[in-house]
Amino acid sequence: MIEYIEGRWNGFKRLDFQFEGRAATLIVPDEPRKDKKWLYKMEYFDVFPSFEIEMLKRGYYVAHMKNKSRLCPKEDTDMRPRFCELLKAEFGLNEKCLPVGMSCGGMQTVYFAAEYPQYVAAMYIDAPVLNLLSWPLGMGESQKPRLVEFEENIGISIADMLNYRKHPIDYKETLLKSGIPIFMVCGDSDTTVPYNENGKVLSDYFKANNGNLTEIVKKGCDHHPHGLDDYTSLFEFVNKYY
């Protein structure tokens, strides 16, 4: 049995514990579903939590594990199956989750779903980082490069990136073949993670290949705010696929 500290998070029970030396959190709904379904908030746990709060009201758990870096070194991706197994063993959670990935969390979601599809029922990504040349390198429309952060956390030189073939978007065929349903929200005026270089590439590919991707493009919206004013379509997506 793991040891945890109990607290509160937006009115719900919060359990904080350690997992393989990293901080982890599980938010417990007041009336859990019998099937113990859950959301995996990949990054920025406390940021733009409106969707997670609404899903908690509907009986879904919400979990998070602290990442080594928001830029998703492979060791972060490879820890996620073990985290899922822990939650299943200790709390009886469903064997599959619904990852929620905002910005860098979208990158993390894509890598996780592509590498370990057996743990992912469906996915919600919001203004996802899918092209590392676009962000954090800032070689396209973005005027907000994070070169030092990239080199420190990924360990690949800028020169090597020109021939890199493991951007999140490079896994679009793998995602398509997996059949994992995707719900994607993007702003068409995103100056940090430009839509044309990231989300639109994934959307166009899925449309051209009859993939299962539902997309909402927010007119005039920059990178923030994440989320939607009306989550009806996302609730319908979750009810259908998870």
Side-chain angles (χ1 to χ4, degrees):
M1 294 290 291
I2 63 172
E3 296 182 358
Y4 56 81
I5 298 174
E6 185 172 326
R8 305 295 291 178
W9 185 84
N10 287 292
F12 295 93
K13 182 190 293 185
R14 171 175 179 152
L15 306 178
D16 288 297
F17 55 96
Q18 290 291 310
F19 172 68
E20 296 187 14
R22 301 192 186 189
T25 300
L26 179 66
I27 310 300
V28 182
D30 294 335
E31 297 181 12
R33 295 168 55 98
K34 291 182 180 180
D35 52 22
K36 296 289 189 76
K37 291 182 178 180
W38 59 288
L39 311 184
Y40 188 163
K41 185 71 175 283
M42 305 296 278
E43 185 66 64
Y44 312 118
F45 178 66
D46 288 305
V47 177
F48 299 105
S50 56
F51 174 63
E52 296 89 270
I53 292 171
E54 289 301 319
M55 294 302 285
L56 281 160
K57 294 176 182 177
R58 288 164 169 75
Y60 291 78
Y61 290 77
V62 177
H64 173 71
M65 176 187 70
K66 185 172 179 58
N67 298 300
K68 178 180 179 181
S69 165
R70 63 176 179 167
L71 295 181
C72 199
K74 194 172 188 305
E75 65 186 274
D76 283 351
T77 299
D78 290 342
M79 281 187 69
R80 301 194 197 285
R82 301 195 298 276
F83 184 55
C84 292
E85 292 292 345
L86 173 82
L87 295 177
K88 179 181 176 181
E90 293 287 339
F91 301 100
L93 298 197
N94 196 284
E95 61 185 10
K96 292 192 175 187
C97 66
L98 177 79
V100 176
M102 298 177 175
S103 191
C104 288
M107 165 173 50
Q108 297 167 10
T109 297
V110 167
Y111 282 138
F112 177 45
E115 293 283 346
Y116 301 101
Q118 65 270 34
Y119 291 97
V120 179
M123 51 196 275
Y124 162 39
I125 52 178
D126 193 308
V129 172
L130 300 179
N131 180 350
L132 301 178
L133 294 176
S134 173
W135 193 96
L137 270 63
M139 292 184 176
E141 298 176 14
S142 177
Q143 301 300 310
K144 303 174 183 178
R146 297 294 185 94
L147 305 184
V148 173
E149 181 182 2
F150 178 82
E151 291 178 326
E152 288 179 347
N153 288 284
I154 303 301
I156 300 172
S157 71
I158 302 302
D160 289 340
M161 281 301 300
L162 296 176
N163 294 306
Y164 191 61
R165 294 296 179 267
K166 292 186 178 181
H167 301 267
I169 199 62
D170 291 327
Y171 290 87
K172 59 185 183 297
E173 183 177 355
T174 301
L175 287 179
L176 181 74
K177 290 180 177 179
S178 75
I180 295 173
I182 301 173
F183 192 100
M184 182 170 68
V185 176
C186 295
D188 68 355
S189 301
D190 194 327
T191 57
T192 302
V193 183
Y195 172 62
N196 288 337
E197 300 168 359
N198 292 272
K200 189 176 187 298
V201 180
L202 182 65
S203 175
D204 288 349
Y205 180 79
F206 267 65
K207 288 176 181 176
N209 292 279
N210 298 312
N212 191 347
L213 186 148
T214 301
E215 181 183 35
I216 293 180
V217 179
K218 298 185 289 187
K219 301 297 182 182
C221 184
D222 202 338
H223 193 59
H224 291 163
H226 293 297
L228 296 168
D229 293 329
D230 182 353
Y231 283 107
T232 300
S233 58
L234 183 48
F235 294 148
E236 292 173 350
F237 172 86
V238 175
N239 289 337
K240 183 174 182 179
Y241 295 113
Y242 187 34

